[in-house]
Amino acid sequence: MGEQLTGDYAESVAAQVEQAMDEAAAICFVVDVQSRVLPADEDVAARLRQAAQPVYLVANKADNDAMAAAAADFYAFGLGEPHVVSAQHGRGVGDLLDFLVEGLPTAALLQSAVDCNLAIVGRPNVGKSSLVNAILREERMIVSTTPGTTRDAVDTAVDFGDRRLVLVDTAGIRRRGRVERGTERASVNRAQAAVARADVVAIVLDGGRDVAAQDQHILGRALDAYKGVILVVNKADLLRGDAELQDRRRRQLRWRAHFVPWAPVVWTSALRGEHLDELLQTVLNVADVRRRRVPTSQLNALLIRATAAHPPATFRGRPIKFFYATQAAIEPPTFVFFVNYPEAVHFSYQRYLQRRIREEFGFLGAALRLHFRPRNDGHG
C-alpha cells in the first residue's frame, strides 16, 4: 500500500486496498529501509494509525547491519517497533512469521468452516471477475474490457445459506505457446495453482462467443487434476430472444465438451445477476458428491453386472478377469479394481466402467480416478 497509485486502475485499486484493510484481522505495513521515509509512507501511516486492527510495521531490504540500524527512522510513524527483515535474503522473516502467527487464527481453524474451495477459471475477458462481483454483490475484483486485468488469484469467502465457499478469481488462462513472459506467465501459473487447491472448478465460457479450443484446453487442466467441474456460460443475456443462436450455443457446447457429459452446465448473467444462486447450489452439490462413498458390496455387485454385460477383451489369448473393487478415497472419488492383467485394461474399457459407476451411483460433476492393480498387490 506504500506506493503512489497511478494509471487507469488507480481508483479501483485504492478502493480495494481500503476494503481489504477493513476486512483484515491484521495489517502489515511494509516500508523500504533503503529508500528511508517517503511522503507516501507518511500518508499511509497516518491512515493506519486510525485502523481498528493491529498494525505491524515491517522494514524490508535490511540486507546488512547498517541498513537494519536505519530502520529506527520509522519509529516516527507512531506504529511501534519496526520488524526488520530482508525478504531477498530471508533475514528476520521467520521471526516475523512467528510473531504474526501467534496473534492469528490457525489455518486449520480457518479451513474447518469452508465447505468448498471454488476456482473460477477461463480464457481472458470472459467475465470471471464480473461473475465474482455479482456473487459477492460488491466490486471486489477490478473489471475491465482489457484482457489480463486480473493478475493474482484472490481468495474471497462467501456465505450461501448456512454454508461457506471460498471463491478464487484467477487470471485468464491462455494456451501454451501464447503465454507471454513475465507478468502474464506468472498469472497463468497462479491460476494453475488455484485449480490445484480447489475442490470444484467453474470454467467460465462467454455466451457471446463460440466455444473455442482454448476452452477445451482449460477444461482438460481441471480434468487432469481430478476436480469437480462445472461449465458456466456467462453473458447468457446476450442470447435472449434469439432461439437460433441459443440452440447453436447448446449444440456447440455438447460437441466441444462431449468428453464431460457428466459436468453440469449453468447459464448465468453476471451483468443482470441471473442464476447465481443456482450456480452456488450446483457448486455445493458437486463438492458434496466428491465426498460420496460407495459401499464395497454395492460396487462389486455393479462390477459383476458390468463385466457380464460387456466382458473385457482377452490379453495374449487369455481372458481378463476382474476379482473385486473398492473405493479407496474421496476428493476425488478413487476406485481400485483388482484384475489379473491390470496393464491390459484398455482405456475404452476404463471409460465403460466409469460410465457404469456414474449410471449407478451418480457423481454428477465429479471427475473419477480409477486404478487397476494385480490381486497380489498387498491383497493376495
Side-chain angles (χ1 to χ4, degrees):
M1 183 179 171
E3 299 178 359
Q4 290 283 6
L5 297 171
T6 60
D8 295 339
Y9 305 117
E11 186 174 340
S12 296
V13 171
Q16 291 187 32
V17 168
E18 289 289 336
Q19 183 170 358
M21 289 170 54
D22 290 341
E23 296 180 357
I27 300 170
C28 283
F29 176 28
V30 183
V31 293
D32 185 343
V33 171
Q34 297 181 15
S35 298
R36 302 299 176 92
V37 177
L38 299 174
D41 294 331
E42 294 176 332
D43 293 341
V44 174
R47 164 67 176 84
L48 293 180
R49 283 195 292 272
Q50 308 301 318
Q53 305 92 331
V55 176
Y56 304 107
L57 180 60
V58 181
N60 191 26
K61 300 187 181 180
D63 299 338
N64 53 49
D65 291 341
M67 289 296 178
D73 293 348
F74 297 102
Y75 275 102
F77 289 159
L79 295 173
E81 180 180 0
H83 295 268
V84 180
V85 304
S86 171
Q88 182 176 3
H89 300 288
R91 178 177 183 174
V93 174
D95 292 339
L96 172 62
L97 290 176
D98 289 341
F99 185 82
L100 293 174
V101 168
E102 287 180 4
L104 295 175
T106 65
L109 289 175
L110 291 174
Q111 285 294 321
S112 63
V114 176
D115 293 288
C116 177
N117 289 303
L118 170 64
I120 298 177
V121 303
R123 53 178 163 153
N125 206 28
V126 294
K128 300 182 299 299
S129 295
S130 296
L131 190 61
V132 171
N133 288 339
I135 291 172
L136 298 174
R137 294 180 174 84
E138 59 187 41
E139 292 299 319
R140 181 65 60 92
M141 305 299 171
I142 299 175
V143 178
S144 169
T145 57
T146 303
T149 300
T150 304
R151 295 295 189 184
D152 280 309
V154 182
D155 288 10
T156 309
V158 59
D159 293 325
F160 181 68
D162 60 351
R163 307 188 69 181
R164 168 160 289 195
L165 304 91
V166 172
L167 308 182
V168 181
D169 183 65
T170 58
I173 298 178
R174 299 180 186 272
R175 292 196 302 271
R176 289 189 182 93
R178 297 191 61 184
V179 180
E180 298 175 1
R181 295 180 180 274
T183 305
E184 186 177 4
R185 185 181 298 276
S187 298
V188 172
N189 289 339
R190 284 192 291 268
Q192 292 172 332
V195 170
R197 61 187 176 85
D199 302 307
V200 178
V201 179
I203 298 162
V204 184
L205 311 172
D206 188 339
R209 293 188 286 174
D210 289 345
V211 180
Q214 188 175 348
D215 297 315
Q216 291 178 302
H217 170 71
I218 295 169
L219 174 56
R221 293 193 179 192
L223 294 179
D224 289 343
Y226 293 97
K227 301 299 180 179
V229 173
I230 297 174
L231 302 176
V232 182
V233 184
N234 192 30
K235 307 180 186 179
D237 52 296
L238 299 177
L239 308 178
R240 189 172 293 122
D242 192 335
E244 182 178 348
L245 183 56
Q246 289 181 33
D247 183 63
R248 175 185 171 183
R249 287 286 182 270
R250 293 181 188 278
R251 286 186 287 106
Q252 189 183 56
L253 184 59
R254 284 197 299 270
W255 171 53
R256 288 288 192 178
H258 67 276
F259 51 97
V260 285
W262 44 265
V265 181
V266 181
W267 298 72
T268 67
S269 171
L271 179 65
R272 299 180 180 274
E274 295 173 348
H275 302 292
L276 301 181
D277 286 353
E278 177 188 349
L279 171 59
L280 294 181
Q281 187 59 61
T282 303
V283 168
L284 289 170
N285 291 344
V286 172
D288 290 340
V289 162
R290 296 184 77 241
R291 303 183 183 104
R292 179 177 297 168
R293 282 196 177 274
V294 177
T296 300
S297 60
Q298 295 182 22
L299 183 61
N300 281 281
L302 170 65
L303 179 61
I304 293 171
R305 295 195 303 271
T307 54
H310 179 32
T314 60
F315 176 64
R316 296 175 180 174
R318 298 180 179 181
I320 297 175
K321 296 181 181 180
F322 283 84
F323 301 110
Y324 59 95
T326 185
Q327 183 175 354
I330 59 173
E331 296 182 291
T334 302
F335 299 90
V336 179
F337 295 83
F338 294 92
V339 59
N340 57 345
Y341 300 115
E343 73 281 3
V345 181
H346 196 266
F347 70 86
S348 61
Y349 201 80
Q350 296 179 28
R351 288 202 304 264
Y352 166 69
L353 291 175
Q354 186 176 118
R355 186 172 68 252
R356 290 300 302 266
I357 290 174
R358 291 188 183 282
E359 291 171 355
E360 184 83 8
F361 305 112
F363 291 104
L364 180 67
L368 305 182
R369 177 181 280 160
L370 273 58
H371 293 300
F372 298 86
R373 297 177 182 169
R375 184 167 57 173
N376 62 356
D377 185 20
H379 298 270

